[in-house]
C-alpha cells in the first residue's frame, strides 16, 4: 500500500497538513510494508526538508500512490481517477458551490472518505480541527474586546508560533471582571475552556453566573438544556431536545443580560431554535459586547452573524436596531468575530493534533481489516456511485 500526502491547492493556501513529519515517521515504523510519499509544497507549515530529514520521500509527482490525504477540497482537475482520497469536501450539507466536486469524484471512479464522516459506532466524530478552532476563537474574543474598548492590543494569532505563545500573551493582560458564556461542550468548547482555564479565568456554575457579581473574570460553559426550554414548560432530557427541537425555544436571554463576551462551541441542527435573536440584542438589559461565533453559521442561530469574516479582517460591527453591519467602533455595535477557518491560525498545533487523532483512530483500520467498521461507515463514493449511507446526496449530485 502507498500513502500520498497531497499539496493543498485551494486558495487562499492552507498551511495545515494531515500528518507532521514525526507522525509519518511513526506510521512507517509501525507498518513496515507501507510506502509513504509527500508531494512537494512550499506553503505548508512543515518544509519539504523536515520530511526528508526523517526519511520520508518528497516528490513533485506522487501519482503512483494508492491513498491520498489532504485537508481542504481538491480542485477537480487535480483528482486522479481510480484512487482513494481523504479530505474535507464540504458536500455533506449539499453545499451548492461544491456540487461539481462530488460529481467529479463519482465521474472519476474515486473511493472517497470525508474527514467528517470518520465516526465511531455511536456516530461520534473521530477526528477534526474543532479544538483548535475553539482555542483561537477564545483568544480572538479577548483580542476583539481589547480593540473595541481600546484597553489593550494583542497580536493576531496567526503571527504567533503556536498555542503556548498565544496563552503567554493572554497571561500578560489584566482583564476587567468580564463574564464569558460558552455554548457547547464538545471539541470546540473544550478548546475554548483550555484557553480560559490556562489564563486563570474562573469557571462558575450557571446559578452563580446568573445571580452573582464577581471582582474577577469568570466563565460558564452551558449545554443545550441550559439555553433552550420546552414551549410547554416540561423538563425532560437531552435526547428529547434532539428528537423534538421544534418543541423548544431559546432561553438564552437570561445569559445575554449578564454576559460581556459570548463564544460559540455548539452544534446547531437546522430544526433547532435560534439561540441569540435580534430581539435579545435589542433588549435594554443586553450586556453582550463581543460575539465570537466559532461555529460561523451565517443566517443561522445567531442574529448578528451576517457573514463570515476572514483571518485578514476578522471583526465587524453589528447594529441590532438596524440589523446591519457597521464599523466595530460604532457606539451601538456588538463586535462579531466569525472567521470560518480559525484552525489555520495555528497550523502547526492543529496539524499535529489532527494527525495524532488520525493515527489513533483511523490508520489501524487499514491494517486490521477495518474490524470496527470505521472505513466502511465513512466511505461516501465507490465504483462511481454514492454508498447507501450517503444516498441522500443523489438529488444534490443530480442538480435537483
Amino acid at each position: 500500500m502507498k500513502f500520498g500526502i497531497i499539496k493543498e491547492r485551494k486558495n487562499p493556501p492552507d498551511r495545515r497538513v494531515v500528518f507532521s513529519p514525526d507522525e509519518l515517521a511513526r506510521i512507517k515504523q509501525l507498518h513496515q510494508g507501507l510506502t509513504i510519499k509527500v508531494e512537494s509544497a512550499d506553503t505548508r507549515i512543515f518544509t519539504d526538508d523536515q520530511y526528508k530529514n526523517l526519511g520520508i520521500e518528497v516528490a513533485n509527482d506522487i501519482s503512483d500512490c494508492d491513498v491520498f490525504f489532504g485537508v481542504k477540497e481538491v480542485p477537480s482537475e487535480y483528482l486522479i481517477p481510480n484512487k482513494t482520497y481523504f479530505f474535507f469536501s464540504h458536500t455533506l450539507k449539499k453545499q451548492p458551490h461544491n456540487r461539481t466536486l462530488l460529481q467529479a469524484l463519482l465521474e472519476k471512479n474515486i473511493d472517497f472518505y470525508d474527514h467528517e464522516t470518520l465516526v465511531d459506532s455511536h456516530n461520534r466524530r473521530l477526528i477534526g480541527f474543532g479544538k483548535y478552532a475553539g482555542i483561537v476563537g477564545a483568544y480572538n474574543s479577548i483580542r476583539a474586546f481589547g480593540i473595541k474598548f481600546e484597553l489593550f492590543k494583542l497580536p493576531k494569532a496567526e503571527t504567533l508560533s503556536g498555542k503556548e505563545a498565544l496563552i503567554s500573551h493572554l497571561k500578560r493582560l489584566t482583564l476587567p471582571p468580564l463574564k464569558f458564556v460558552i455554548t457547547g461542550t464538545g471539541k470546540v468548547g473544550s478548546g475554548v475552556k483550555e484557553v480560559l482555564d490556562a489564563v486563570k479565568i474562573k469557571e462558575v456554575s450557571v446559578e452563580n453566573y446568573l445571580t452573582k457579581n464577581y471582582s474577577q473574570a469568570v466563565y460558564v460553559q452551558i449545554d443545550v438544556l441550559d439555553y433552550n426550554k420546552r414551549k410547554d414548560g416540561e423538563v425532560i432530557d437531552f435526547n428529547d431536545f434532539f428528537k423534538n427541537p421544534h418543541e423548544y425555544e431559546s432561553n438564552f436571554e437570561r445569559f445575554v443580560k449578564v454576559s460581556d463576551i459570548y463564544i460559540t462551541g455548539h452544534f446547531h441542527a437546522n430544526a433547532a431554535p435560534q439561540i441569540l435573536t435580534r430581539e435579545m440584542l435589542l433588549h435594554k438589559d443586553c450586556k453582550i459586547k463581543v460575539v465570537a461565533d466559532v461555529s460561523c453559521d451565517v443566517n443561522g442561530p445567531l442574529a448578528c452573524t451576517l457573514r463570515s469574516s476572514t483571518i485578514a479582517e476578522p471583526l465587524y460591527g453589528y447594529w441590532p436596531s438596524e440589523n446591519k453591519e457597521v464599523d466595530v467602533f460604532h457606539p451601538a455595535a456588538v463586535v462579531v468575530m466569525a472567521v470560518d477557518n480559525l484552525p489555520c491560525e495555528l497550523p502547526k498545533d492543529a496539524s499535529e493534533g489532527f494527525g495524532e487523532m488520525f493515527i489513533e483512530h483511523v490508520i489501524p483500520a487499514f491494517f486490521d481489516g477495518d474490524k470496527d467498521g470505521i472505513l466502511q461507515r465513512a466511505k461516501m463514493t465507490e465504483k462511481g456511485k454514492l454508498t447507501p449511507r450517503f444516498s441522500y446526496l443523489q438529488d444534490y449530485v443530480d442538480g435537483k
Side-chain angles (χ1 to χ4, degrees):
M1 192 184 298
K2 292 182 179 179
F3 283 179
I5 311 305
I6 57 178
K7 175 181 178 177
E8 297 296 321
R9 289 182 165 86
K10 191 178 179 185
N11 277 318
D14 196 309
R15 302 187 73 203
R16 293 173 296 172
V17 66
V18 176
F19 300 109
S20 70
D22 284 339
E23 287 163 345
L24 286 187
R26 203 161 103 221
I27 293 170
K28 274 186 75 175
Q29 200 171 14
L30 287 169
H31 305 287
Q32 299 290 330
L34 179 67
T35 302
I36 300 175
K37 281 188 181 180
V38 172
E39 187 174 6
S40 179
D42 57 6
T43 52
R44 67 169 69 99
I45 188 64
F46 302 104
T47 66
D48 287 356
D49 283 344
Q50 284 176 287
Y51 286 99
K52 289 176 186 173
N53 291 342
L54 289 176
I56 310 295
E57 184 180 351
V58 178
N60 290 315
D61 181 3
I62 61 167
S63 58
D64 60 332
C65 292
D66 309 305
V67 184
F68 295 99
F69 299 94
V71 177
K72 300 298 276 286
E73 300 99 313
V74 176
S76 300
E77 63 270 26
Y78 288 99
L79 291 168
I80 303 171
N82 307 310
K83 301 285 187 176
T84 296
Y85 279 84
F86 286 76
F87 56 83
F88 287 109
S89 69
H90 301 291
T91 58
L92 293 167
K93 293 181 181 177
K94 304 184 179 181
Q95 292 94 320
H97 61 287
N98 280 337
R99 178 186 286 117
T100 55
L101 172 58
L102 186 51
Q103 289 169 337
L105 290 164
L106 291 164
E107 286 163 12
K108 296 191 177 193
N109 202 37
I110 285 166
D111 285 356
F112 176 61
Y113 302 79
D114 193 297
H115 293 311
E116 284 191 56
T117 66
L118 292 160
V119 296
D120 67 13
S121 57
H122 301 288
N123 218 37
R124 291 178 297 219
R125 290 268 305 272
L126 292 171
I127 57 170
F129 289 105
K131 176 185 170 185
Y132 299 92
I135 287 169
V136 180
Y139 178 86
N140 282 1
S141 74
I142 296 171
R143 181 174 181 268
F145 187 89
I147 290 170
K148 168 74 174 175
F149 296 101
E150 299 178 318
L151 282 178
F152 48 80
K153 288 184 178 178
L154 285 168
K156 283 188 172 184
E158 67 168 336
T159 66
L160 302 176
S161 60
K163 181 183 75 175
E164 294 310 319
L166 177 152
I167 288 169
S168 176
H169 275 275
L170 291 177
K171 282 181 173 177
R172 295 173 199 166
L173 302 177
T174 301
L175 291 176
L178 300 172
K179 281 187 166 182
F180 296 76
V181 59
I182 309 159
T183 47
T185 57
K187 287 185 171 66
V188 176
S190 74
V192 176
K193 179 176 169 54
E194 185 173 330
V195 171
L196 299 188
D197 287 344
V199 298
K200 302 292 190 285
I201 294 174
K202 183 183 179 184
E203 183 174 13
V204 297
S205 69
V206 169
E207 186 181 349
N208 286 346
Y209 185 88
L210 293 171
T211 59
K212 290 187 175 182
N213 293 319
Y214 292 88
S215 58
Q216 67 183 98
V218 299
Y219 78 90
V220 68
Q221 187 169 26
I222 57 177
D223 216 336
V224 288
L225 295 185
D226 293 312
Y227 58 92
N228 291 287
K229 62 180 179 180
R230 275 187 68 99
K231 294 172 185 173
D232 60 12
E234 272 194 78
V235 179
I236 306 183
D237 62 16
F238 191 88
N239 292 322
D240 180 63
F241 173 79
F242 287 105
K243 284 179 191 167
N244 306 296
H246 55 282
E247 300 287 347
Y248 286 76
E249 60 188 1
S250 176
N251 189 26
F252 191 64
E253 189 165 2
R254 58 199 186 132
F255 294 96
V256 170
K257 293 176 180 178
V258 298
S259 301
D260 301 288
I261 296 176
Y262 171 28
I263 310 173
T264 73
H266 56 253
F267 169 78
H268 187 265
N270 291 336
Q274 194 175 24
I275 298 168
L276 178 62
T277 65
R278 182 184 171 199
E279 290 68 34
M280 290 178 194
L281 290 167
L282 278 169
H283 197 284
K284 61 181 175 60
D285 292 333
C286 174
K287 283 191 67 185
I288 288 185
K289 300 168 186 73
V290 172
V291 175
D293 189 1
V294 180
S295 304
C296 194
D297 290 322
V298 178
N299 299 319
L302 312 188
C304 56
T305 304
L306 300 177
R307 63 173 176 86
S308 57
S309 54
T310 63
I311 291 171
E313 299 287 340
L315 309 178
Y316 58 88
Y318 172 74
W319 189 9
S321 59
E322 295 289 326
N323 192 37
K324 69 178 185 182
E325 182 178 333
V326 291
D327 187 80
V328 164
F329 296 105
H330 185 292
V334 175
V335 182
V336 178
M337 190 288 303
V339 176
D340 60 5
N341 59 340
L342 286 169
C344 293
E345 296 201 59
L346 284 183
K348 183 175 184 292
D349 295 274
S351 297
E352 289 171 344
F354 192 86
E356 205 166 298
M357 287 183 271
F358 216 103
I359 289 170
E360 180 182 352
H361 298 295
V362 184
I363 292 298
F366 286 95
F367 302 98
D368 65 10
D370 191 25
K371 65 181 177 63
D372 296 320
I374 288 164
L375 297 177
Q376 182 188 357
R377 280 190 296 275
K379 187 183 276 191
M380 287 180 64
T381 65
E382 184 176 32
K383 296 185 173 70
K385 293 182 179 178
L386 291 166
T387 59
R389 189 176 171 92
F390 298 97
S391 59
Y392 75 91
L393 293 169
Q394 191 61 56
D395 62 340
Y396 167 65
V397 169
D398 295 339
K400 293 177 182 174

